[in-house]
Amino acid sequence: MALPTELGRFPAPGPEAREKKLFYRLTEDEGIKLISGTRTPALLSVWASNDVMQFGTIRILSGGPGPQQTETDEHPGDAVFYVTRGPLTFYLPDTKETFDVSEGDYMFLPEHTKYKMINYYGHTAKAVFMVAPEF
């Protein structure tokens, strides 16, 4: 899958935004829309993406023959997920651990932690996320 060229410099490249002290009002509707995954797609809206962080929302739909889930993923930086519509189950395949995260709660994943998110319920689950590499 080709990634949008705006990733890594949306709504402006990080160095330019910091130097010029640019400010932006960010909304989910104006974010970069992506479908993450090919076998089990999830809907992403990236609100900001630059050299130091990526911020947005992820939606895991419901329905189908089994629970809907993301494909296994990992990030080059620490990640935080705030569940705004849940619950969501985070599964860590390397340790075989699961964490049920309720609506209004957070999940922190250190960099390079492999995970997938699973929606066992009859409604779309949603989380706000931020990924930031270590400096």
Side-chain angles (χ1 to χ4, degrees):
M1 171 177 82
L3 295 176
T5 57
E6 297 91 354
L7 280 179
R9 55 187 182 90
F10 179 81
E16 176 187 343
R18 289 188 292 278
E19 179 184 328
K20 295 180 179 179
K21 301 197 183 313
L22 300 175
F23 294 91
Y24 293 90
R25 179 179 174 269
L26 305 171
T27 67
E28 184 172 11
D29 291 338
E30 295 165 340
I32 299 169
K33 306 294 190 236
L34 299 166
I35 296 175
S36 175
T38 53
R39 290 180 303 134
T40 56
L43 307 174
L44 293 178
S45 177
V46 178
W47 301 5
S49 174
N50 62 32
D51 56 322
V52 297
M53 64 91 193
Q54 193 164 79
F55 177 74
T57 58
I58 183 166
R59 294 172 191 228
I60 297 104
L61 303 176
S62 65
Q68 297 298 308
Q69 58 189 307
T70 63
E71 293 174 16
T72 301
D73 201 357
E74 67 176 288
H75 305 285
D78 294 341
V80 176
F81 295 86
Y82 173 68
V83 177
T84 59
R85 176 105 199 249
L88 266 174
T89 298
F90 285 76
Y91 172 66
L92 310 182
D94 288 344
T95 61
K96 308 237 185 301
E97 293 177 281
T98 59
F99 297 90
D100 293 322
V101 182
S102 298
E103 192 169 304
D105 288 341
Y106 298 85
M107 181 70 182
F108 171 80
L109 296 170
E111 68 177 339
H112 299 296
T113 300
K114 292 180 183 172
Y115 72 95
K116 62 171 47 182
M117 292 185 282
I118 306 169
N119 179 5
Y120 288 107
Y121 299 92
H123 61 268
T124 297
K126 181 178 173 184
V128 176
F129 67 87
M130 187 169 108
V131 179
E134 184 178 334
F135 298 100

